Amino acid sequence: MRKTKSLDPTYFDGLYAEKPDPWDFSTSAYEAEKYDATIAALGVERSTRGLEVGCSIGILTRRLAEVCDSLVATEVSSAALEQARARCADLSNIDFRLVSESDGGFDGVFDLIVLSEVVYYWDDHDLDRVAAAIDKTLAQGGRLLLVHYVLETDYPKSGDDAVEGLKRRVGDSAEVEISRRADSYRLDLWRRKPL
């Protein structure tokens, strides 16, 4: 049965307490292929300041740090964040932040915001908050990259509902550059239109 409210930090703390890598990010061929596709979608354009919401244990974070001059990586689970910090300890361009709200970490201006496997954890109220945060912090010409599992889950939203819901909230301020589907996930890259 689908949950109706946003998943809170205790949900994720429980997952990481039970298994340090609950989705097998570090060993799954599927995850490796998805991360390759995620980075490939960004192309050769380098980002000055990026934001990764929900960095988990830092697998994608390492890859994003290679294409960003500086990267803010947020996470709601302290156990996951500690793993991410350890995994990326040799990289000096990542600012790790423990957050408790869906829009935590959205401060300053970013020319890249990555929402990978997180938007479907939020209910409509939190989706409104995140859309407002994107509106305030995504630079003109900046990119918003979304990657979401599209098969059945018990999260508050399906992958498709999450992405389409955010798109409605972002509206005409962003144009779609990439919208592609694999067997079990979708990848969407939007660019904020200049004023």
Side-chain angles (χ1 to χ4, degrees), residues 24-43:
D24 300 319
F25 290 144
S26 61
T27 58
S28 164
Y30 160 78
E31 295 294 344
E33 184 278 326
K34 188 178 66 177
Y35 293 148
D36 288 345
T38 300
I39 297 301
L42 293 173

Side-chain angles (χ1 to χ4, degrees), residues 55-132:
C55 69
S56 185
I57 61 172
I59 306 291
L60 179 59
T61 311
R62 279 195 73 86
R63 303 279 305 270
L64 290 170
E66 295 172 4
V67 299
C68 295
D69 294 340
S70 70
L71 178 67
V72 175
T74 69
E75 177 55 50
V76 298
S77 166
S78 58
L81 192 65
E82 286 310 309
Q83 287 188 69
R85 278 190 176 116
R87 177 167 277 106
C88 301
D90 60 317
L91 301 175
S92 61
N93 64 331
I94 306 171
D95 175 12
F96 287 102
R97 298 183 188 175
L98 183 65
V99 299
S100 58
E101 302 292 337
S102 57
D103 57 354
F106 284 84
D107 61 355
V109 177
F110 300 97
D111 59 352
L112 174 65
I113 296 175
V114 178
L115 303 174
S116 180
E117 309 286 4
V118 294
V119 178
Y120 44 41
Y121 297 143
W122 300 324
D123 60 20
D124 286 340
H125 173 73
D126 278 330
L127 208 50
D128 289 342
R129 290 176 62 166
V130 170

Side-chain angles (χ1 to χ4, degrees), residues 118-188:
V118 294
V119 178
Y120 44 41
Y121 297 143
W122 300 324
D123 60 20
D124 286 340
H125 173 73
D126 278 330
L127 208 50
D128 289 342
R129 290 176 62 166
V130 170
I134 290 167
D135 184 56
K136 289 179 187 170
T137 61
L138 184 61
Q140 302 303 314
R143 297 176 295 168
L144 179 63
L145 178 62
L146 302 101
V147 185
H148 288 86
Y149 185 73
V150 294
L151 302 182
E152 191 60 36
T153 70
D154 64 349
Y155 304 148
K157 298 194 178 307
S158 70
D160 288 326
D161 288 344
V163 174
E164 297 308 320
L166 186 59
K167 181 63 176 141
R168 281 192 304 278
R169 286 163 173 85
V170 170
D172 292 335
S173 68
E175 58 189 358
V176 175
E177 290 199 343
I178 297 173
S179 182
R180 106 179 27 128
R181 293 182 84 84
D183 289 341
S184 55
Y185 71 89
R186 64 180 290 171
L187 186 151
D188 299 88

